Amino acid sequence: MENETIVQHAVVAWAHATEGIGAVFATGARENPAAVQKKTMPYRYIVESERGAAPVMEEDWAERLQEKVLQLAVVAHQPDVVRLFMANDVRVTFCVVAPEDLETALAADSLARAVYDPEARFAERPAPTDLTLRFKAPTPERVTLWCNQFFMNMTDVALALYDDEPWQAQTYLDAAREALIPMAFAAAASESGFFVNLGERGENLKAYMSDTAYDHLMRSYAPTDAARIWDALFQACMLFRKCGLKLDELDGYTYPRKMDVEMMQYFRRLWEETR
């Protein structure tokens, strides 16, 4: 891709001309041989820097990339993460690590490929794979926590709807997804023995879910309208049950069937009373 060549050449040229940059690694989905490549994928780099994020923030990226910069900002700390967004839709994320932290960062990211390595310190690094990014089996304790959190937040959704507070219900529904989404991830990954990369933000999830489960997930999102949120609640509950029962088939996991049935009966009673 044209942009890929331009961006990588610009980043390497910047590293070469900037004091304190020891090495730069390309990473992320663009380096994943198993990922479906899309034009809009972000570019991700790990940067070894003695001066923290300062070299990234001080660079004139508009000049270097010959494109208007719409955003250049530190979006996270420890390590510093800088996001660069250009007018031509190009997104570049720099994860800046100190020299003493580089090995730890690379050990956690098997996709990282050295693109600037002036001292050839990483010439023997293995070819990029998604091994470290594959979804790991959750502990039984974690699954139990997801169940408790999900039904707690869904209770709050139902009661907010019962009190005719759809906006508040929407906020509780968002909180419930903090348990629903990882449960869906775990159920999808279990089909492959927890040996699959679902993507940093679940961008590969659809490929590993049934059409019915994916429809439940899509319908768990709704406008702030009471009737739509009730539907989203039940869709989310159906998906959570399907995913929980899938894990229940594996050794070590127990889905709380009794709580599920009783909570669904409770939600339906409140729904009937608000119709």
Side-chain angles (χ1 to χ4, degrees):
M1 295 182 187
E2 182 180 357
N3 277 341
E4 189 159 3
T5 301
I6 293 172
V7 171
Q8 186 150 300
H9 282 183
V11 170
V12 171
W14 160 75
H16 180 74
T18 303
E19 184 178 355
I21 303 298
V24 177
F25 299 82
T27 187
R30 288 182 178 274
E31 296 299 316
N32 186 355
V36 176
Q37 299 297 306
K38 295 181 290 187
K39 181 180 178 180
T40 57
M41 278 180 172
Y43 298 85
R44 301 186 184 278
Y45 294 95
I46 297 172
V47 178
E48 180 189 29
S49 171
E50 297 176 354
R51 298 175 52 222
V56 181
M57 297 299 296
E58 294 168 356
E59 179 60 28
D60 185 352
W61 291 105
E63 173 66 23
R64 192 170 285 283
L65 287 166
Q66 295 297 295
E67 186 59 66
K68 182 179 180 180
V69 173
L70 298 182
Q71 181 188 30
L72 177 63
V74 176
V75 296
H77 292 292
Q78 296 181 343
D80 288 341
V81 177
V82 178
R83 174 187 165 98
L84 170 66
F85 180 53
M86 315 294 293
N88 61 352
D89 306 325
V90 168
R91 294 171 290 169
V92 186
T93 300
F94 299 92
C95 178
V96 185
V97 299
E100 61 269 22
D101 297 326
L102 181 60
E103 286 298 336
T104 299
L106 294 179
D109 191 341
S110 56
L111 284 177
R113 174 177 63 89
V115 294
Y116 175 71
D117 181 19
E119 299 178 5
R121 290 179 292 158
F122 305 98
E124 302 301 319
R125 185 168 172 80
T129 72
D130 64 357
L131 186 62
T132 61
L133 304 178
R134 292 172 183 170
F135 190 90
K136 297 176 178 59
T139 64
E141 292 77 15
R142 175 60 62 182
V143 172
T144 297
L145 187 62
W146 290 340
C147 293
N148 294 338
Q149 290 174 333
F150 179 79
F151 286 111
M152 175 191 72
N153 283 302
M154 280 304 187
T155 300
D156 294 338
V157 173
L159 287 172
L161 290 170
Y162 184 78
D163 290 335
D164 195 24
E165 296 177 341
W167 179 85
Q168 194 65 43
Q170 190 74 272
T171 65
Y172 289 129
L173 187 58
D174 290 340
R177 287 197 193 90
E178 295 177 9
L180 175 64
I181 298 302
M183 180 69 94
F185 278 25
S190 72
E191 294 279 6
S192 301
F194 298 102
F195 204 69
V196 65
N197 179 3
L198 296 175
E200 184 179 359
R201 300 283 183 177
E203 56 267 26
N204 304 329
L205 182 61
K206 185 177 181 180
Y208 296 96
M209 293 184 77
S210 69
D211 291 342
T212 301
Y214 193 75
D215 182 62
H216 288 320
L217 177 61
M218 292 299 96
R219 290 176 62 185
S220 75
Y221 292 83
T224 306
D225 168 84
R228 298 286 186 86
I229 298 175
W230 272 119
D231 179 65
L233 179 151
F234 289 120
Q235 295 297 326
C237 287
M238 285 188 283
L239 175 60
F240 195 82
R241 174 186 290 171
K242 287 177 183 290
C243 295
L245 291 176
K246 184 178 291 291
L247 291 182
D248 191 76
E249 297 173 357
L250 305 178
D251 290 339
Y253 298 107
T254 302
Y255 184 70
R257 299 166 186 254
K258 182 174 184 292
M259 180 169 65
D260 180 301
V261 171
E262 291 177 347
M263 293 308 301
M264 286 296 288
Q265 291 173 342
Y266 176 74
F267 296 153
R268 290 189 179 279
R269 178 174 67 79
L270 290 187
W271 174 65
E272 290 286 352
E273 292 180 11
T274 61
R275 294 178 65 184

